[in-house]
Amino acid sequence: MSMCKTPAELEKMRRSGLAVHRILQAVAAGVQPGASTWDLETLAEAAIRREQAVSAFRGYRGYPCVLCASVNDEIVHGIPSRKKLLREGDVVSLDCGVLLDGYYGDSALTVPVGDPARLPPPVQRLLAATRSALAAGIESARVGNFLGDISFAVQRKVEEEGFSVVREFVGHGIGTHLHEEPQVPNYGQPGAGRRLREGMVLCIEPMVNQGSAQVRLLDDGWTAVTADGACSAHFEHTVAITRDGPWVLSQA
Ligand code: MF3
Ligand code: CO
């Protein structure tokens, strides 16, 4: 099966991407001290319904929720919980995927809880570095480049800033399935891997640790946390490779 989408398919994927964008904005607006990650799940569920979309996550390999909400040392796949309360100075990664009109969209961002100025400066730098690593990856998502160019651009930015790339989880192709070929690692060599073609749609999603890259899985079987307990950040966009350059489908 070809990994390349037609222009008509890209228009549909744009609608899924924009839906995910608006859903995440609605969830991010509910991030405040005292809220639980279950409150965020409730906001996500309502927003998905408003978009007349279907969750891509709930039921995926048995995942129980529509949102992943990963706080501080949680890297990805945090399961929303009524017992998990957000506090000023925390950061929370919000990851959401939907299915709309046969096509998937998937995006994530990491936001401060409360006043951003009250985040510890190293955590502010972690968020900025992860955001710019995603931007560098997107900038490399061009016809004629190689998959490894994206991976390398992400890794270089992360390591330049003194942080570490998580290797256990990777980005992915996306389309009529949430996860399609190819895998998109956040580390690699320029010029390596397959060539990027017009119509490919990739989820680029750096997961970046403040300290060591080592990961531990919690007993819930889902939540991935840093082995050293330090903070982690995650940003993700659904990106189409077009003749005119990268098209970030999950961005307004
Ligand atoms: N954005 C993540 C991914 O693309 C989220 C998957 S969570 C799951 O893999 F619940 F769907 F597994
Ligand atoms: Co993804």
Side-chain angles (χ1 to χ4, degrees):
M1 196 181 95
S2 165
M3 300 183 306
C4 298
K5 277 73 180 174
T6 65
E9 288 182 292
L10 291 188
E11 288 301 333
K12 290 190 176 190
M13 295 198 71
R14 172 59 165 163
R15 298 191 48 174
S16 306
L18 276 180
V20 164
H21 167 73
R22 288 188 293 259
I23 292 159
L24 284 176
Q25 291 306 114
V27 176
V31 169
Q32 54 181 311
S36 72
T37 56
W38 182 260
D39 295 331
L40 304 179
E41 166 76 7
T42 301
L43 288 173
E45 221 184 335
I48 290 171
R49 188 170 316 114
R50 284 197 298 275
E51 298 290 342
Q52 303 183 54
V54 170
S55 171
F57 291 1
R58 191 160 53 200
Y60 183 86
R61 299 186 181 203
Y63 187 74
C65 293
V66 305
L67 183 74
C68 298
S70 310
V71 181
N72 294 343
D73 64 314
E74 297 174 352
I75 304 166
V76 285
H77 304 161
I79 302 175
S81 160
R82 289 177 178 85
K83 287 183 285 187
K84 189 104 186 173
L85 300 181
L86 302 175
R87 295 178 307 182
E88 178 101 34
D90 288 347
V91 289
V92 57
S93 148
L94 309 169
D95 187 353
C96 190
V98 299
L99 176 63
L100 186 65
D101 198 14
Y103 289 85
Y104 284 88
D106 184 12
S107 183
L109 79 172
T110 303
V111 296
V113 179
D115 183 358
R118 286 183 61 181
L119 281 189
V123 178
Q124 292 181 23
R125 288 196 292 273
L126 174 70
L127 297 195
T130 310
R131 205 184 285 110
S132 25
L134 172 55
I138 291 170
E139 200 43 47
S140 302
R142 292 178 180 278
V143 175
N145 275 1
F146 293 84
L147 194 57
D149 295 333
I150 297 177
S151 304
F152 176 75
V154 171
Q155 179 180 18
R156 186 176 55 176
K157 180 62 75 177
V158 169
E159 293 178 353
E160 216 167 72
E161 301 294 330
F163 299 117
S164 59
V165 163
V166 170
R167 293 168 187 254
E168 281 78 359
F169 304 97
V170 295
H172 50 94
I174 185 169
T176 56
H177 302 267
L178 175 62
H179 294 138
E180 297 185 356
E181 278 201 277
Q183 293 197 353
V184 185
N186 295 300
Y187 56 93
Q189 294 300 322
R194 69 173 79 233
R195 206 180 267 276
L196 303 178
R197 307 216 176 261
E198 188 179 347
M200 288 176 74
V201 184
L202 304 175
C203 287
I204 306 174
E205 50 176 318
M207 289 143 273
V208 176
N209 291 355
Q210 196 184 347
S212 103
Q214 288 331 101
V215 168
R216 191 166 62 83
L217 195 66
L218 294 190
D219 289 336
D220 63 20
W222 279 102
T223 314
V225 301
T226 61
D228 63 8
C231 224
S232 186
H234 177 213
F235 287 84
E236 172 177 22
H237 272 308
T238 299
V239 182
I241 295 168
T242 80
R243 208 182 314 190
D244 305 325
W247 183 15
V248 185
L249 301 178
S250 51
Q251 179 170 274

mmCIF file of all heavy atoms in Angstrom, residues 115-157:
data_model
loop_
_atom_site.group_PDB
_atom_site.id
_atom_site.type_symbol
_atom_site.label_atom_id
_atom_site.label_comp_id
_atom_site.label_asym_id
_atom_site.label_seq_id
_atom_site.Cartn_x
_atom_site.Cartn_y
_atom_site.Cartn_z
ATOM 1 N N ASP A 115 0.961 29.936 36.294
ATOM 2 C CA ASP A 115 1.789 30.996 35.718
ATOM 3 C C ASP A 115 3.057 30.403 35.083
ATOM 4 O O ASP A 115 3.887 29.838 35.796
ATOM 5 C CB ASP A 115 2.159 31.978 36.843
ATOM 6 C CG ASP A 115 2.967 33.149 36.334
ATOM 7 O OD1 ASP A 115 3.279 33.193 35.121
ATOM 8 O OD2 ASP A 115 3.298 34.024 37.170
ATOM 9 N N PRO A 116 3.209 30.561 33.751
ATOM 10 C CA PRO A 116 4.383 30.003 33.073
ATOM 11 C C PRO A 116 5.687 30.534 33.659
ATOM 12 O O PRO A 116 6.709 29.830 33.663
ATOM 13 C CB PRO A 116 4.229 30.471 31.625
ATOM 14 C CG PRO A 116 2.807 30.872 31.475
ATOM 15 C CD PRO A 116 2.309 31.273 32.831
ATOM 16 N N ALA A 117 5.651 31.786 34.145
ATOM 17 C CA ALA A 117 6.866 32.395 34.700
ATOM 18 C C ALA A 117 7.305 31.696 35.985
ATOM 19 O O ALA A 117 8.449 31.851 36.414
ATOM 20 C CB ALA A 117 6.632 33.875 34.957
ATOM 21 N N ARG A 118 6.403 30.927 36.582
ATOM 22 C CA ARG A 118 6.765 30.228 37.824
ATOM 23 C C ARG A 118 7.294 28.813 37.605
ATOM 24 O O ARG A 118 7.591 28.095 38.566
ATOM 25 C CB ARG A 118 5.572 30.227 38.787
ATOM 26 C CG ARG A 118 5.367 31.614 39.411
ATOM 27 C CD ARG A 118 4.267 31.647 40.420
ATOM 28 N NE ARG A 118 4.507 30.763 41.569
ATOM 29 C CZ ARG A 118 3.653 30.621 42.577
ATOM 30 N NH1 ARG A 118 2.513 31.288 42.576
ATOM 31 N NH2 ARG A 118 3.930 29.812 43.581
ATOM 32 N N LEU A 119 7.430 28.417 36.339
ATOM 33 C CA LEU A 119 8.108 27.146 36.061
ATOM 34 C C LEU A 119 9.589 27.320 36.374
ATOM 35 O O LEU A 119 10.160 28.376 36.094
ATOM 36 C CB LEU A 119 8.008 26.780 34.575
ATOM 37 C CG LEU A 119 6.733 26.184 34.018
ATOM 38 C CD1 LEU A 119 6.994 25.722 32.583
ATOM 39 C CD2 LEU A 119 6.259 25.027 34.868
ATOM 40 N N PRO A 120 10.237 26.278 36.901
ATOM 41 C CA PRO A 120 11.692 26.353 37.061
ATOM 42 C C PRO A 120 12.329 26.632 35.698
ATOM 43 O O PRO A 120 11.919 26.027 34.704
ATOM 44 C CB PRO A 120 12.066 24.952 37.562
ATOM 45 C CG PRO A 120 10.790 24.362 38.093
ATOM 46 C CD PRO A 120 9.673 25.011 37.343
ATOM 47 N N PRO A 121 13.308 27.566 35.635
ATOM 48 C CA PRO A 121 13.936 27.908 34.348
ATOM 49 C C PRO A 121 14.392 26.698 33.529
ATOM 50 O O PRO A 121 14.213 26.710 32.304
ATOM 51 C CB PRO A 121 15.102 28.816 34.757
ATOM 52 C CG PRO A 121 14.611 29.473 36.015
ATOM 53 C CD PRO A 121 13.781 28.437 36.728
ATOM 54 N N PRO A 122 14.959 25.659 34.124
ATOM 55 C CA PRO A 122 15.351 24.511 33.296
ATOM 56 C C PRO A 122 14.143 23.838 32.614
ATOM 57 O O PRO A 122 14.266 23.323 31.498
ATOM 58 C CB PRO A 122 16.008 23.536 34.285
ATOM 59 C CG PRO A 122 16.352 24.355 35.481
ATOM 60 C CD PRO A 122 15.364 25.478 35.531
ATOM 61 N N VAL A 123 12.999 23.862 33.267
ATOM 62 C CA VAL A 123 11.796 23.263 32.670
ATOM 63 C C VAL A 123 11.264 24.156 31.553
ATOM 64 O O VAL A 123 10.809 23.675 30.512
ATOM 65 C CB VAL A 123 10.721 22.968 33.742
ATOM 66 C CG1 VAL A 123 9.454 22.403 33.113
ATOM 67 C CG2 VAL A 123 11.272 22.014 34.797
ATOM 68 N N GLN A 124 11.351 25.487 31.750
ATOM 69 C CA GLN A 124 11.016 26.410 30.647
ATOM 70 C C GLN A 124 11.895 26.123 29.439
ATOM 71 O O GLN A 124 11.410 26.078 28.300
ATOM 72 C CB GLN A 124 11.200 27.868 31.084
ATOM 73 C CG GLN A 124 10.194 28.308 32.136
ATOM 74 C CD GLN A 124 10.374 29.782 32.534
ATOM 75 O OE1 GLN A 124 10.931 30.578 31.786
ATOM 76 N NE2 GLN A 124 9.893 30.134 33.719
ATOM 77 N N ARG A 125 13.192 25.903 29.691
ATOM 78 C CA ARG A 125 14.117 25.614 28.579
ATOM 79 C C ARG A 125 13.792 24.266 27.936
ATOM 80 O O ARG A 125 13.917 24.098 26.721
ATOM 81 C CB ARG A 125 15.573 25.638 29.076
ATOM 82 C CG ARG A 125 16.073 27.043 29.387
ATOM 83 C CD ARG A 125 17.595 27.080 29.484
ATOM 84 N NE ARG A 125 18.083 26.352 30.661
ATOM 85 C CZ ARG A 125 18.211 26.901 31.873
ATOM 86 N NH1 ARG A 125 17.903 28.179 32.067
ATOM 87 N NH2 ARG A 125 18.647 26.172 32.891
ATOM 88 N N LEU A 126 13.360 23.287 28.750
ATOM 89 C CA LEU A 126 12.977 21.969 28.221
ATOM 90 C C LEU A 126 11.802 22.090 27.253
ATOM 91 O O LEU A 126 11.810 21.499 26.158
ATOM 92 C CB LEU A 126 12.613 21.030 29.379
ATOM 93 C CG LEU A 126 12.064 19.656 28.995
ATOM 94 C CD1 LEU A 126 13.155 18.784 28.374
ATOM 95 C CD2 LEU A 126 11.452 18.947 30.208
ATOM 96 N N LEU A 127 10.790 22.863 27.635
ATOM 97 C CA LEU A 127 9.629 23.043 26.755
ATOM 98 C C LEU A 127 10.047 23.744 25.458
ATOM 99 O O LEU A 127 9.645 23.329 24.361
ATOM 100 C CB LEU A 127 8.519 23.847 27.443
ATOM 101 C CG LEU A 127 7.867 23.266 28.694
ATOM 102 C CD1 LEU A 127 6.572 24.015 29.001
ATOM 103 C CD2 LEU A 127 7.600 21.791 28.566
ATOM 104 N N ALA A 128 10.834 24.804 25.595
ATOM 105 C CA ALA A 128 11.277 25.559 24.404
ATOM 106 C C ALA A 128 12.108 24.663 23.484
ATOM 107 O O ALA A 128 11.936 24.697 22.253
ATOM 108 C CB ALA A 128 12.077 26.785 24.833
ATOM 109 N N ALA A 129 12.985 23.855 24.060
ATOM 110 C CA ALA A 129 13.855 22.989 23.249
ATOM 111 C C ALA A 129 13.033 21.921 22.529
ATOM 112 O O ALA A 129 13.295 21.616 21.353
ATOM 113 C CB ALA A 129 14.902 22.319 24.144
ATOM 114 N N THR A 130 12.035 21.370 23.198
ATOM 115 C CA THR A 130 11.228 20.309 22.571
ATOM 116 C C THR A 130 10.380 20.897 21.454
ATOM 117 O O THR A 130 10.237 20.305 20.374
ATOM 118 C CB THR A 130 10.347 19.611 23.623
ATOM 119 O OG1 THR A 130 11.167 19.231 24.730
ATOM 120 C CG2 THR A 130 9.682 18.374 23.048
ATOM 121 N N ARG A 131 9.838 22.112 21.698
ATOM 122 C CA ARG A 131 9.071 22.804 20.667
ATOM 123 C C ARG A 131 9.968 23.102 19.459
ATOM 124 O O ARG A 131 9.580 22.869 18.314
ATOM 125 C CB ARG A 131 8.487 24.103 21.240
ATOM 126 C CG ARG A 131 7.238 24.570 20.524
ATOM 127 C CD ARG A 131 6.733 25.909 21.056
ATOM 128 N NE ARG A 131 6.067 25.828 22.344
ATOM 129 C CZ ARG A 131 6.544 26.306 23.496
ATOM 130 N NH1 ARG A 131 7.706 26.926 23.527
ATOM 131 N NH2 ARG A 131 5.855 26.180 24.599
ATOM 132 N N SER A 132 11.174 23.597 19.698
ATOM 133 C CA SER A 132 12.029 23.902 18.534
ATOM 134 C C SER A 132 12.565 22.646 17.873
ATOM 135 O O SER A 132 12.829 22.654 16.665
ATOM 136 C CB SER A 132 13.155 24.893 18.829
ATOM 137 O OG SER A 132 13.513 24.914 20.146
ATOM 138 N N ALA A 133 12.710 21.548 18.619
ATOM 139 C CA ALA A 133 13.117 20.289 17.981
ATOM 140 C C ALA A 133 12.027 19.817 17.018
ATOM 141 O O ALA A 133 12.320 19.367 15.901
ATOM 142 C CB ALA A 133 13.384 19.221 19.044
ATOM 143 N N LEU A 134 10.763 19.942 17.434
ATOM 144 C CA LEU A 134 9.658 19.588 16.522
ATOM 145 C C LEU A 134 9.688 20.505 15.295
ATOM 146 O O LEU A 134 9.551 20.037 14.154
ATOM 147 C CB LEU A 134 8.310 19.686 17.247
ATOM 148 C CG LEU A 134 7.057 19.525 16.372
ATOM 149 C CD1 LEU A 134 7.081 18.217 15.582
ATOM 150 C CD2 LEU A 134 5.792 19.604 17.242
ATOM 151 N N ALA A 135 9.894 21.810 15.513
ATOM 152 C CA ALA A 135 9.947 22.755 14.387
ATOM 153 C C ALA A 135 11.078 22.391 13.431
ATOM 154 O O ALA A 135 10.912 22.463 12.197
ATOM 155 C CB ALA A 135 10.110 24.184 14.905
ATOM 156 N N ALA A 136 12.216 21.977 13.973
ATOM 157 C CA ALA A 136 13.363 21.600 13.125
ATOM 158 C C ALA A 136 13.033 20.339 12.322
ATOM 159 O O ALA A 136 13.385 20.238 11.136
ATOM 160 C CB ALA A 136 14.600 21.377 13.986
ATOM 161 N N GLY A 137 12.352 19.396 12.953
ATOM 162 C CA GLY A 137 11.931 18.188 12.239
ATOM 163 C C GLY A 137 10.977 18.530 11.113
ATOM 164 O O GLY A 137 11.119 18.042 9.982
ATOM 165 N N ILE A 138 10.012 19.394 11.405
ATOM 166 C CA ILE A 138 9.020 19.793 10.399
ATOM 167 C C ILE A 138 9.724 20.475 9.220
ATOM 168 O O ILE A 138 9.421 20.211 8.057
ATOM 169 C CB ILE A 138 7.960 20.725 11.025
ATOM 170 C CG1 ILE A 138 7.080 19.946 12.013
ATOM 171 C CG2 ILE A 138 7.106 21.391 9.944
ATOM 172 C CD1 ILE A 138 6.160 20.815 12.873
ATOM 173 N N GLU A 139 10.664 21.332 9.529
ATOM 174 C CA GLU A 139 11.410 22.075 8.500
ATOM 175 C C GLU A 139 12.142 21.116 7.551
ATOM 176 O O GLU A 139 12.348 21.430 6.379
ATOM 177 C CB GLU A 139 12.398 23.019 9.210
ATOM 178 C CG GLU A 139 12.901 24.161 8.397
ATOM 179 C CD GLU A 139 11.820 24.854 7.582
ATOM 180 O OE1 GLU A 139 10.723 25.159 8.115
ATOM 181 O OE2 GLU A 139 12.065 25.056 6.379
ATOM 182 N N SER A 140 12.496 19.929 8.045
ATOM 183 C CA SER A 140 13.212 18.943 7.218
ATOM 184 C C SER A 140 12.272 18.014 6.462
ATOM 185 O O SER A 140 12.738 17.162 5.695
ATOM 186 C CB SER A 140 14.135 18.104 8.108
ATOM 187 O OG SER A 140 15.040 18.947 8.791
ATOM 188 N N ALA A 141 10.971 18.153 6.695
ATOM 189 C CA ALA A 141 9.992 17.254 6.065
ATOM 190 C C ALA A 141 9.669 17.747 4.660
ATOM 191 O O ALA A 141 8.605 18.318 4.412
ATOM 192 C CB ALA A 141 8.734 17.167 6.929
ATOM 193 N N ARG A 142 10.613 17.544 3.763
ATOM 194 C CA ARG A 142 10.512 18.087 2.407
ATOM 195 C C ARG A 142 10.764 17.000 1.368
ATOM 196 O O ARG A 142 11.591 16.108 1.583
ATOM 197 C CB ARG A 142 11.559 19.197 2.210
ATOM 198 C CG ARG A 142 11.254 20.402 3.052
ATOM 199 C CD ARG A 142 12.299 21.497 2.924
ATOM 200 N NE ARG A 142 11.903 22.611 3.782
ATOM 201 C CZ ARG A 142 11.015 23.552 3.436
ATOM 202 N NH1 ARG A 142 10.501 23.537 2.226
ATOM 203 N NH2 ARG A 142 10.676 24.491 4.293
ATOM 204 N N VAL A 143 10.060 17.116 0.242
ATOM 205 C CA VAL A 143 10.246 16.200 -0.886
ATOM 206 C C VAL A 143 11.731 16.133 -1.242
ATOM 207 O O VAL A 143 12.371 17.177 -1.369
ATOM 208 C CB VAL A 143 9.440 16.676 -2.115
ATOM 209 C CG1 VAL A 143 9.726 15.781 -3.321
ATOM 210 C CG2 VAL A 143 7.948 16.725 -1.799
ATOM 211 N N GLY A 144 12.248 14.910 -1.352
ATOM 212 C CA GLY A 144 13.648 14.732 -1.751
ATOM 213 C C GLY A 144 14.585 14.561 -0.578
ATOM 214 O O GLY A 144 15.663 13.980 -0.730
ATOM 215 N N ASN A 145 14.173 15.064 0.602
ATOM 216 C CA ASN A 145 14.959 14.769 1.811
ATOM 217 C C ASN A 145 14.759 13.308 2.196
ATOM 218 O O ASN A 145 13.933 12.603 1.611
ATOM 219 C CB ASN A 145 14.504 15.661 2.975
ATOM 220 C CG ASN A 145 15.191 17.028 2.952
ATOM 221 O OD1 ASN A 145 15.980 17.325 2.064
ATOM 222 N ND2 ASN A 145 14.865 17.848 3.940
ATOM 223 N N PHE A 146 15.488 12.871 3.228
ATOM 224 C CA PHE A 146 15.368 11.504 3.732
ATOM 225 C C PHE A 146 14.728 11.528 5.110
ATOM 226 O O PHE A 146 14.788 12.537 5.822
ATOM 227 C CB PHE A 146 16.747 10.839 3.791
ATOM 228 C CG PHE A 146 17.343 10.613 2.429
ATOM 229 C CD1 PHE A 146 18.029 11.633 1.782
ATOM 230 C CD2 PHE A 146 17.196 9.391 1.787
ATOM 231 C CE1 PHE A 146 18.570 11.431 0.516
ATOM 232 C CE2 PHE A 146 17.733 9.183 0.519
ATOM 233 C CZ PHE A 146 18.423 10.205 -0.121
ATOM 234 N N LEU A 147 14.132 10.381 5.462
ATOM 235 C CA LEU A 147 13.529 10.248 6.789
ATOM 236 C C LEU A 147 14.556 10.598 7.873
ATOM 237 O O LEU A 147 14.250 11.286 8.846
ATOM 238 C CB LEU A 147 13.021 8.814 6.957
ATOM 239 C CG LEU A 147 12.076 8.548 8.111
ATOM 240 C CD1 LEU A 147 10.854 9.445 8.030
ATOM 241 C CD2 LEU A 147 11.653 7.091 8.107
ATOM 242 N N GLY A 148 15.787 10.129 7.670
ATOM 243 C CA GLY A 148 16.847 10.393 8.646
ATOM 244 C C GLY A 148 17.152 11.876 8.814
ATOM 245 O O GLY A 148 17.670 12.290 9.858
ATOM 246 N N ASP A 149 16.829 12.677 7.813
ATOM 247 C CA ASP A 149 17.048 14.125 7.939
ATOM 248 C C ASP A 149 16.132 14.712 9.003
ATOM 249 O O ASP A 149 16.531 15.610 9.753
ATOM 250 C CB ASP A 149 16.811 14.834 6.597
ATOM 251 C CG ASP A 149 17.822 14.405 5.536
ATOM 252 O OD1 ASP A 149 18.945 14.016 5.911
ATOM 253 O OD2 ASP A 149 17.478 14.451 4.336
ATOM 254 N N ILE A 150 14.880 14.215 9.053
ATOM 255 C CA ILE A 150 13.946 14.663 10.091
ATOM 256 C C ILE A 150 14.469 14.235 11.460
ATOM 257 O O ILE A 150 14.588 15.053 12.379
ATOM 258 C CB ILE A 150 12.529 14.068 9.856
ATOM 259 C CG1 ILE A 150 11.942 14.554 8.536
ATOM 260 C CG2 ILE A 150 11.618 14.408 11.037
ATOM 261 C CD1 ILE A 150 10.578 13.945 8.191
ATOM 262 N N SER A 151 14.794 12.952 11.573
ATOM 263 C CA SER A 151 15.256 12.398 12.847
ATOM 264 C C SER A 151 16.491 13.132 13.355
ATOM 265 O O SER A 151 16.581 13.504 14.527
ATOM 266 C CB SER A 151 15.585 10.904 12.675
ATOM 267 O OG SER A 151 14.462 10.218 12.164
ATOM 268 N N PHE A 152 17.418 13.363 12.443
ATOM 269 C CA PHE A 152 18.670 14.025 12.813
ATOM 270 C C PHE A 152 18.424 15.459 13.258
ATOM 271 O O PHE A 152 19.012 15.931 14.246
ATOM 272 C CB PHE A 152 19.643 13.994 11.625
ATOM 273 C CG PHE A 152 20.915 14.738 11.876
ATOM 274 C CD1 PHE A 152 21.902 14.198 12.707
ATOM 275 C CD2 PHE A 152 21.142 15.981 11.300
ATOM 276 C CE1 PHE A 152 23.084 14.897 12.957
ATOM 277 C CE2 PHE A 152 22.323 16.681 11.544
ATOM 278 C CZ PHE A 152 23.293 16.125 12.375
ATOM 279 N N ALA A 153 17.554 16.161 12.544
ATOM 280 C CA ALA A 153 17.266 17.565 12.891
ATOM 281 C C ALA A 153 16.674 17.664 14.294
ATOM 282 O O ALA A 153 17.032 18.557 15.079
ATOM 283 C CB ALA A 153 16.304 18.165 11.861
ATOM 284 N N VAL A 154 15.781 16.731 14.628
ATOM 285 C CA VAL A 154 15.175 16.721 15.960
ATOM 286 C C VAL A 154 16.253 16.444 17.014
ATOM 287 O O VAL A 154 16.397 17.196 17.994
ATOM 288 C CB VAL A 154 14.062 15.640 16.051
ATOM 289 C CG1 VAL A 154 13.591 15.469 17.482
ATOM 290 C CG2 VAL A 154 12.888 15.995 15.134
ATOM 291 N N GLN A 155 17.009 15.394 16.801
ATOM 292 C CA GLN A 155 18.031 14.992 17.773
ATOM 293 C C GLN A 155 19.070 16.091 17.992
ATOM 294 O O GLN A 155 19.443 16.394 19.136
ATOM 295 C CB GLN A 155 18.739 13.722 17.291
ATOM 296 C CG GLN A 155 19.843 13.265 18.241
ATOM 297 C CD GLN A 155 20.541 12.002 17.772
ATOM 298 O OE1 GLN A 155 20.461 11.616 16.598
ATOM 299 N NE2 GLN A 155 21.236 11.344 18.689
ATOM 300 N N ARG A 156 19.506 16.711 16.902
ATOM 301 C CA ARG A 156 20.549 17.726 17.016
ATOM 302 C C ARG A 156 20.079 18.894 17.887
ATOM 303 O O ARG A 156 20.794 19.351 18.776
ATOM 304 C CB ARG A 156 20.948 18.228 15.628
ATOM 305 C CG ARG A 156 22.134 19.177 15.689
ATOM 306 C CD ARG A 156 22.595 19.615 14.335
ATOM 307 N NE ARG A 156 21.496 20.200 13.565
ATOM 308 C CZ ARG A 156 21.644 20.733 12.357
ATOM 309 N NH1 ARG A 156 22.822 20.741 11.770
ATOM 310 N NH2 ARG A 156 20.606 21.243 11.720
ATOM 311 N N LYS A 157 18.845 19.346 17.645
ATOM 312 C CA LYS A 157 18.303 20.459 18.426
ATOM 313 C C LYS A 157 18.207 20.096 19.903
ATOM 314 O O LYS A 157 18.601 20.861 20.784
ATOM 315 C CB LYS A 157 16.937 20.871 17.856
ATOM 316 C CG LYS A 157 16.262 21.995 18.560
ATOM 317 C CD LYS A 157 17.052 23.305 18.499
ATOM 318 C CE LYS A 157 16.968 23.949 17.120
ATOM 319 N NZ LYS A 157 17.685 25.255 17.093
#
